[in-house]
Amino acid sequence: IPKTGGSTLKDIIADCHFKVVANEEGIADGHDQDMDLQLVDVGGYGRAKYVNVDTTTIEGIDRAVQLGLVRSNLADVIVTPYLYESELLFKNGGEDPREGDPRGRLFALFRHPVDR
């Protein structure tokens, strides 16, 4: 079955462009138990840096919201298959009402619908 290229794109973003990524890689080696946000090096992934949250699951998105992932400005790229649920990451969260919600940019990868 042909891939969409998502894994390759994540590798390029992290390893070639040196962007900090929030995805499932960040919770490797028990980092899902960390009590605060931090950058982690995951063995075997070159110079890539990850945030210790898993934004590829609903539970991981909830944890990222609680830890203030977007407000921390640690991640350059957030990878998730849950577009609607990830909106919570960008909500003000009842902090300072004078501040607006942070903004992000969305890009998506799709396989050709016929050539599947």
Side-chain angles (χ1 to χ4, degrees):
I1 298 175
K3 297 176 19 168
T4 61
S7 298
T8 303
L9 181 64
K10 288 187 283 188
D11 290 343
I12 290 170
I13 288 170
D15 290 326
C16 299
H17 293 282
F18 309 113
K19 299 295 183 187
V20 177
V21 179
N23 67 357
E24 70 276 7
E25 304 295 342
I27 62 166
D29 301 329
H31 287 291
D32 58 331
Q33 303 300 317
D34 295 343
M35 299 304 288
D36 54 357
L37 288 174
Q38 54 187 297
L39 296 181
V40 295
D41 293 316
V42 180
Y45 290 101
R47 294 184 280 178
K49 299 271 189 210
Y50 298 91
V51 182
N52 60 334
V53 292
D54 180 4
T55 54
T56 64
T57 67
I58 300 295
E59 296 81 15
I61 290 172
D62 290 341
R63 181 170 176 264
V65 169
Q66 291 172 359
L67 294 175
L69 173 63
V70 171
R71 291 246 179 245
S72 74
N73 288 318
L74 283 177
D76 296 312
V77 177
I78 298 172
V79 178
T80 184
Y82 296 103
L83 180 62
Y84 296 112
E85 292 84 351
S86 65
E87 175 190 15
L88 296 174
L89 291 167
F90 297 92
K91 290 292 184 183
N92 192 7
E95 294 177 10
D96 188 345
R98 294 170 292 183
E99 289 186 29
D101 292 332
R103 302 289 174 155
R105 292 189 180 128
L106 171 71
F107 63 94
L109 239 72
F110 297 95
R111 283 192 354 209
H112 191 283
V114 176
D115 293 339
R116 294 169 72 157

